[in-house]
Amino acid sequence: MEGKILIQISSGRGPAECELAVGLFAQSLAKEFKGMRILEKHRSGTWEKIPKSKLKDECFNSVIAEIDFHTPESKPNLCGSVLWICKSPFRPKHGRKNWFIDVSEVENFTDEKISLDEKDIRMERFHCGGNGGQNVNKVETGVRLIHILTGISVTATEERSQHLNRAIAMRKLEERIREKIKEENSGRESERWEKHCTLERGNPIRVYEGMGFTPKAQCK
């Protein structure tokens, strides 16, 4: 069974060296997993303070990437910390050589473009009250639409035509679902940020060395 995994590569609250490790690790994965797609790249607010060099353009505090796999057994196990052992290219006199970044699996955001399937919508008709003449009282012009998957329900009674009220109700339903998607995406964005800020050091799943970002070890 084919599938996709969405990963977030993060420097956490680490310095410029960790942000460089994020960029180099993303490049390494792109070579390892052909067809990997970079969906998002983010730089920190301190990016401008990184010394000007060619390496600065490779610095990111987080990268979101999508990787395909063809069978459950081939799904890559990338979640955990990654260690980069290298003398700082930005601070030559700095003694630290171990730089950790984090890789976590995240959920994909739902596209806010709404495309409703008729089979997922139940329509109910009802009589409208109030002004509008005898037609309003004798014909079921009011429309209620229920989105079966979410339980969202909307009504429309503005027009004297059932057809027009259904069109109005559809617009209302699309807007309500769009609002729900935004709420869900906001929650997922918070979850991503929590994962971005949480970085566990030690027991790395992968270790790389030097400016060539050469794999040293890979743990299962």
Short mmCIF file of all heavy atoms in Angstrom, two decimals, residues 1 5 7 30-31 34 48 51 56 66 69 81 93 111 113 116 133 154-155 161 173 201 203 206 208 212:
data_model
loop_
_atom_site.label_atom_id
_atom_site.label_comp_id
_atom_site.label_asym_id
_atom_site.label_seq_id
_atom_site.Cartn_x
_atom_site.Cartn_y
_atom_site.Cartn_z
N MET A 1 0.85 -1.19 0.00
CA MET A 1 0.00 0.00 0.00
C MET A 1 0.88 1.24 0.00
O MET A 1 1.74 1.40 0.86
CB MET A 1 -0.90 0.00 1.24
CG MET A 1 -1.82 1.22 1.34
SD MET A 1 -2.83 1.20 2.85
CE MET A 1 -1.54 1.40 4.10
N ILE A 5 4.59 10.27 4.00
CA ILE A 5 4.93 10.70 5.35
C ILE A 5 5.34 12.16 5.28
O ILE A 5 6.08 12.57 4.38
CB ILE A 5 6.05 9.83 5.98
CG1 ILE A 5 6.37 10.33 7.39
CG2 ILE A 5 7.29 9.81 5.11
CD1 ILE A 5 7.37 9.46 8.12
N ILE A 7 7.21 15.10 7.29
CA ILE A 7 8.13 15.28 8.41
C ILE A 7 8.49 16.75 8.59
O ILE A 7 8.49 17.53 7.65
CB ILE A 7 9.42 14.46 8.22
CG1 ILE A 7 10.17 14.90 6.96
CG2 ILE A 7 9.13 12.97 8.20
CD1 ILE A 7 11.58 14.34 6.84
N ALA A 30 16.92 14.46 0.51
CA ALA A 30 16.46 14.59 -0.88
C ALA A 30 17.25 13.67 -1.81
O ALA A 30 16.72 13.16 -2.80
CB ALA A 30 16.59 16.05 -1.33
N LYS A 31 18.53 13.46 -1.50
CA LYS A 31 19.34 12.53 -2.29
C LYS A 31 18.99 11.08 -1.97
O LYS A 31 19.03 10.21 -2.84
CB LYS A 31 20.83 12.78 -2.02
CG LYS A 31 21.33 14.14 -2.46
CD LYS A 31 22.79 14.33 -2.08
CE LYS A 31 23.28 15.72 -2.48
NZ LYS A 31 24.69 15.94 -2.05
N LYS A 34 14.38 9.76 -3.46
CA LYS A 34 14.10 10.41 -4.73
C LYS A 34 12.62 10.84 -4.79
O LYS A 34 11.74 10.07 -4.43
CB LYS A 34 14.42 9.48 -5.91
CG LYS A 34 15.85 8.96 -5.90
CD LYS A 34 16.86 10.10 -5.95
CE LYS A 34 18.29 9.56 -5.99
NZ LYS A 34 19.29 10.65 -5.98
N GLU A 48 19.21 37.00 10.37
CA GLU A 48 20.00 38.14 9.89
C GLU A 48 21.32 38.28 10.65
O GLU A 48 22.27 38.87 10.14
CB GLU A 48 19.19 39.43 10.02
CG GLU A 48 17.98 39.51 9.10
CD GLU A 48 18.38 39.60 7.63
OE1 GLU A 48 19.54 39.96 7.35
OE2 GLU A 48 17.52 39.32 6.76
N PRO A 51 26.57 35.21 10.40
CA PRO A 51 27.62 35.82 9.56
C PRO A 51 27.36 35.56 8.08
O PRO A 51 26.97 34.47 7.68
CB PRO A 51 28.89 35.11 10.03
CG PRO A 51 28.60 34.70 11.43
CD PRO A 51 27.13 34.36 11.46
N LYS A 56 25.00 30.65 4.88
CA LYS A 56 23.84 31.31 5.49
C LYS A 56 22.56 30.96 4.75
O LYS A 56 21.50 30.79 5.36
CB LYS A 56 24.06 32.82 5.52
CG LYS A 56 22.91 33.59 6.16
CD LYS A 56 23.24 35.07 6.25
CE LYS A 56 22.10 35.85 6.90
NZ LYS A 56 22.42 37.28 7.07
N GLU A 66 7.79 16.14 2.34
CA GLU A 66 6.90 15.01 2.10
C GLU A 66 7.65 13.91 1.36
O GLU A 66 8.30 14.17 0.35
CB GLU A 66 5.70 15.47 1.27
CG GLU A 66 4.63 14.40 1.06
CD GLU A 66 3.46 14.93 0.25
OE1 GLU A 66 3.65 15.19 -0.96
OE2 GLU A 66 2.36 15.08 0.82
N PHE A 69 6.26 6.49 0.16
CA PHE A 69 6.72 5.11 0.38
C PHE A 69 5.71 4.17 -0.28
O PHE A 69 4.53 4.50 -0.42
CB PHE A 69 6.91 4.80 1.87
CG PHE A 69 5.67 4.94 2.71
CD1 PHE A 69 4.81 3.88 2.92
CD2 PHE A 69 5.37 6.16 3.32
CE1 PHE A 69 3.68 4.02 3.71
CE2 PHE A 69 4.24 6.31 4.11
CZ PHE A 69 3.39 5.24 4.31
N SER A 81 16.11 12.44 17.19
CA SER A 81 17.14 13.47 17.07
C SER A 81 18.23 13.03 16.09
O SER A 81 18.49 11.84 15.92
CB SER A 81 17.77 13.77 18.44
OG SER A 81 18.42 12.63 18.96
N LYS A 93 36.40 29.73 16.85
CA LYS A 93 37.01 29.54 18.17
C LYS A 93 36.08 28.84 19.15
O LYS A 93 36.45 28.58 20.29
CB LYS A 93 37.42 30.90 18.74
CG LYS A 93 38.52 31.60 17.93
CD LYS A 93 38.93 32.91 18.58
CE LYS A 93 40.03 33.60 17.76
NZ LYS A 93 40.45 34.89 18.38
N ASP A 111 -6.55 21.34 2.78
CA ASP A 111 -6.72 22.47 1.87
C ASP A 111 -8.03 23.18 2.18
O ASP A 111 -9.06 22.56 2.36
CB ASP A 111 -6.75 21.95 0.43
CG ASP A 111 -6.63 23.07 -0.60
OD1 ASP A 111 -6.82 24.24 -0.23
OD2 ASP A 111 -6.33 22.75 -1.77
N LYS A 113 -9.70 24.92 0.22
CA LYS A 113 -10.61 24.92 -0.93
C LYS A 113 -11.66 23.85 -0.72
O LYS A 113 -11.35 22.68 -0.53
CB LYS A 113 -9.83 24.65 -2.22
CG LYS A 113 -10.70 24.70 -3.46
CD LYS A 113 -9.86 24.45 -4.71
CE LYS A 113 -10.72 24.49 -5.96
NZ LYS A 113 -9.93 24.21 -7.19
N LEU A 116 -17.62 20.01 -2.00
CA LEU A 116 -18.56 19.16 -1.29
C LEU A 116 -19.18 18.13 -2.23
O LEU A 116 -19.59 18.45 -3.34
CB LEU A 116 -19.68 20.02 -0.68
CG LEU A 116 -19.22 21.02 0.39
CD1 LEU A 116 -20.42 21.83 0.89
CD2 LEU A 116 -18.55 20.32 1.54
N GLY A 133 -46.30 36.21 1.14
CA GLY A 133 -47.48 35.81 0.36
C GLY A 133 -47.87 34.38 0.62
O GLY A 133 -47.23 33.64 1.37
N VAL A 154 -26.99 23.92 8.31
CA VAL A 154 -27.32 25.31 7.98
C VAL A 154 -28.72 25.35 7.38
O VAL A 154 -29.20 24.36 6.82
CB VAL A 154 -26.31 25.93 6.99
CG1 VAL A 154 -24.92 25.99 7.59
CG2 VAL A 154 -26.31 25.16 5.67
N THR A 155 -29.37 26.51 7.49
CA THR A 155 -30.68 26.68 6.89
C THR A 155 -30.71 27.96 6.05
O THR A 155 -29.90 28.87 6.27
CB THR A 155 -31.79 26.78 7.96
OG1 THR A 155 -31.53 27.92 8.80
CG2 THR A 155 -31.86 25.52 8.79
N SER A 161 -37.99 30.82 -3.43
CA SER A 161 -37.71 29.67 -4.28
C SER A 161 -36.83 28.68 -3.52
O SER A 161 -35.82 29.05 -2.93
CB SER A 161 -37.00 30.12 -5.56
OG SER A 161 -36.33 29.05 -6.18
N LEU A 173 -22.95 26.54 4.07
CA LEU A 173 -22.32 25.29 4.49
C LEU A 173 -20.83 25.30 4.17
O LEU A 173 -19.99 24.89 4.99
CB LEU A 173 -23.00 24.11 3.81
CG LEU A 173 -22.54 22.71 4.24
CD1 LEU A 173 -22.78 22.51 5.72
CD2 LEU A 173 -23.27 21.64 3.43
N ARG A 201 18.02 15.69 23.10
CA ARG A 201 19.42 15.43 22.76
C ARG A 201 19.83 14.07 23.32
O ARG A 201 19.40 13.68 24.38
CB ARG A 201 20.31 16.55 23.31
CG ARG A 201 20.06 17.90 22.64
CD ARG A 201 20.78 19.03 23.33
NE ARG A 201 20.64 20.27 22.59
CZ ARG A 201 19.58 21.05 22.62
NH1 ARG A 201 18.54 20.71 23.38
NH2 ARG A 201 19.52 22.16 21.92
N ASN A 203 20.98 9.81 22.15
CA ASN A 203 20.42 8.67 21.42
C ASN A 203 19.93 9.05 20.03
O ASN A 203 18.78 8.81 19.66
CB ASN A 203 19.26 8.05 22.21
CG ASN A 203 19.69 7.53 23.55
OD1 ASN A 203 20.76 6.91 23.68
ND2 ASN A 203 18.89 7.78 24.58
N ARG A 206 20.39 9.17 13.75
CA ARG A 206 21.39 9.30 12.70
C ARG A 206 22.50 10.24 13.18
O ARG A 206 22.23 11.18 13.93
CB ARG A 206 20.79 9.83 11.41
CG ARG A 206 19.79 8.88 10.74
CD ARG A 206 19.42 9.36 9.37
NE ARG A 206 18.49 8.45 8.70
CZ ARG A 206 18.33 8.39 7.38
NH1 ARG A 206 19.03 9.20 6.60
NH2 ARG A 206 17.48 7.56 6.85
N TYR A 208 25.92 12.43 11.58
CA TYR A 208 26.65 12.91 10.41
C TYR A 208 27.90 13.65 10.88
O TYR A 208 27.93 14.21 11.98
CB TYR A 208 25.78 13.84 9.57
CG TYR A 208 24.57 13.15 8.96
CD1 TYR A 208 23.41 12.96 9.71
CD2 TYR A 208 24.60 12.69 7.65
CE1 TYR A 208 22.30 12.32 9.16
CE2 TYR A 208 23.50 12.06 7.10
CZ TYR A 208 22.35 11.88 7.85
OH TYR A 208 21.26 11.24 7.31
N GLY A 212 30.94 17.96 4.86
CA GLY A 212 30.37 17.13 3.80
C GLY A 212 29.10 16.42 4.23
O GLY A 212 28.45 15.75 3.43
#
